[in-house]
Amino acid sequence: MEKFVTIGEAAQLTGLSAKMIRHYEANGLLPRLSRTEAGYRLYNRQQLALLGLIRQARKLGFAMVQIQSLLSLWRKPDRTSREVKKLANAHLDEITQKIAELQQMQTALQQLADHCSDDDSAQCAILDGLSANTMLNSAHSPK
């Protein structure tokens, strides 16, 4: 006989909050759940595994739509590992792009901070630099 757990137990076992579990259910990430006569949700081993997969995917930064794709592949016994790897590599490419953008931001902000006199004067190289970049960007943007 299959063992079922309540949402509180599911939350404890998966490291997710009950609120997040309900959110994932509302967004269709979980199949229809069994319920007690009183209406309490009941989770089986497979649903707990799904919740664990969702939690790990979120920790790795996958978007909800990507998680839906991962879950679809997880449920599909005739999937190929190539399909899963393609999805993972696409996410890796997004992460690599975000890292590059963050490094550019870091460099630009470091340059502005390096030019700050850090004294009591009203002159501020950081604000001057930010406003100069804004003026340059608006001059080059299409109208």
Side-chain angles (χ1 to χ4, degrees):
M1 184 168 167
E2 188 169 25
K3 182 178 186 234
F4 289 92
V5 297
T6 64
I7 194 166
E9 292 168 310
Q12 194 171 36
L13 290 168
T14 62
L16 295 166
S17 69
K19 182 178 180 178
M20 286 309 300
I21 292 173
R22 285 190 291 274
H23 171 74
Y24 295 144
E25 181 186 355
N27 284 312
L29 295 180
L30 292 174
R32 188 143 177 91
L33 299 169
S34 299
R35 291 191 181 250
T36 65
E37 287 184 24
Y40 293 109
R41 294 168 173 86
L42 294 174
Y43 299 85
N44 63 26
R45 186 180 319 171
Q46 183 179 15
Q47 291 156 340
L48 292 174
L50 281 171
L51 288 169
L53 190 151
I54 293 167
R55 181 174 185 257
Q56 287 302 113
R58 291 297 294 153
K59 284 175 83 172
L60 292 174
F62 282 96
M64 293 299 278
V65 76
Q66 293 169 315
I67 292 173
Q68 286 175 326
S69 296
L70 284 169
L71 291 175
S72 176
L73 289 167
W74 186 77
R75 291 180 184 119
K76 187 175 148 188
D78 62 335
R79 71 179 174 269
T80 64
S81 61
R82 184 177 298 109
E83 294 173 281
V84 181
K85 186 171 183 175
K86 181 179 177 183
L87 188 62
N89 280 335
H91 186 54
L92 273 172
D93 291 344
E94 292 171 10
I95 291 171
T96 300
Q97 179 62 36
K98 285 180 186 178
I99 290 170
E101 290 170 5
L102 286 170
Q103 287 173 331
Q104 289 173 348
M105 290 167 54
Q106 179 185 29
T107 299
L109 187 54
Q110 186 65 59
Q111 289 172 350
L112 291 172
D114 288 347
H115 288 92
C116 179
S117 59
D118 194 20
D119 59 18
D120 292 333
S121 70
Q123 178 64 32
C124 180
I126 297 170
L127 293 176
D128 292 343
L130 290 172
S131 64
N133 285 335
T134 302
M135 291 170 51
L136 288 174
N137 290 337
S138 65
H140 294 300
S141 62
K143 297 190 177 176

